[in-house]
Amino acid sequence: MSYETITVEQRPEPHGAVTLITLNRPQALNALNSQVLEDLIAAFGAYEADPGQLCAVLTGAGDKAFAAGADIKEMADKPAADFYLDDFFARWTSHLVKAVRKPWIAAVNGFALGGGCELAMMADFIIASEKAKFGQPEIKLGVAPGMGGSQRLTRAVGKAKAMEMCLTGRMMDAAEAERSGLVARVVSHESLLDEALRTAAAIAAMPPMAAIANKEMVNAAFETTLDQGLIVERRIFQILAASEDKAEGMAAFIEKREGQWKGR
Ligand code: HXC
């Protein structure tokens, strides 16, 4: 399948097949317009449906930006009623977060601003280049985050930094983002894609049910109380205990060999 605004490759990394999705509007710093959303929905849908793929990486083309935000030129003349009636931005979360049970990583290679920062935060985790910059500068446009920035950024870095960033539009550099818990790891700019693909391949080599289950459990921590989250964790653990891959994984450990996963 070919796309207008992104590229998609299935990469046969040494330890597991990985889907690499690249935002490809470098002349507009990969700004997120409606076509990007349609393309990402199709690409993530295909990734989710492909039993041969267990981890994806999303990055931005060019040296400068992961994504500099929702496309301001597309939004500038849009009437407020259209934003409301279309429930503008709702499909990002429903199709890229809720509908994708398999893991995916954002490899942030430069500016991740506004919707770009919000898109990165939809990933299961972020690996950042040392040149990455994160921000929610929407206030300077007379608006506010619309794809989860006020909620996901606050959960990731806490109220003080999230409030300061939303109210001033200040950007956070990669080192501060790592210190604050927004990104899992910062790597050199040159090694970003290799590191992200290597990490994705390591995940892709895991027993598939366990990978999906681990993601589901951690996400439950954002949606529930501690007591309910602990119940979710135990129930999922108990379901995994009945899987063929659990029997294989434990046997492989005892027999000092690599596990051969069935995905069941
Ligand atoms: C459309 C964008 C864009 C964007 C950059 N471009 N960001 N186009 N939407 N979000 C375009 C520029 O217009 C320009 O096109 C080209 O990309 C290169 O950008 P420059 O500004 O020339 O680059 P530079 O001087 O290096 O500055 C980089 C930058 C700046 C600091 C990232 O581009 C910037 O501030 N961009 C906007 C960031 C932003 O406000 N993001 C939040 C958007 S609102 P031309 O054709 O001139 O070469 C959002 C959610 C809104 O995300 C929710 C509200 C409902």
Side-chain angles (χ1 to χ4, degrees), residues 119-187:
L119 175 57
M121 291 189 293
M122 289 178 199
D124 296 310
F125 59 94
I126 299 172
I127 299 180
S129 133
E130 63 209 343
K131 289 192 186 165
K133 288 203 185 311
F134 300 87
Q136 298 291 162
E138 290 92 337
I139 193 166
K140 295 182 186 171
L141 301 168
V143 285
M147 285 162 56
S150 64
Q151 306 303 301
R152 293 196 179 99
L153 185 64
T154 307
R155 282 166 167 77
V157 305
K159 178 182 168 185
K161 279 183 187 287
M163 191 68 94
E164 187 203 13
M165 286 169 74
C166 289
L167 286 176
T168 67
R170 171 176 88 78
M171 291 186 212
M172 190 183 254
D173 67 18
E176 186 183 2
E178 186 177 27
R179 274 201 313 277
S180 311
L182 178 58
V183 313
R185 203 144 49 86
V186 178
V187 299

Side-chain angles (χ1 to χ4, degrees), residues 11-12 19 32 73-74 128 139 142 176 184 194 201 216-217 220 228:
R11 309 262 304 202
T19 299
L32 307 169
K73 292 166 190 169
E74 188 180 69
I139 193 166
E176 186 183 2
D194 281 351
E216 189 175 354
M217 275 184 192
Q228 288 166 332

Side-chain angles (χ1 to χ4, degrees), residues 64 84 108 177 179 198 226 232 235 258:
K64 228 168 138 181
Y84 182 70
V108 174
R179 274 201 313 277
R198 208 193 327 269
L226 178 60
V232 168
R235 293 294 171 263
E258 292 289 315

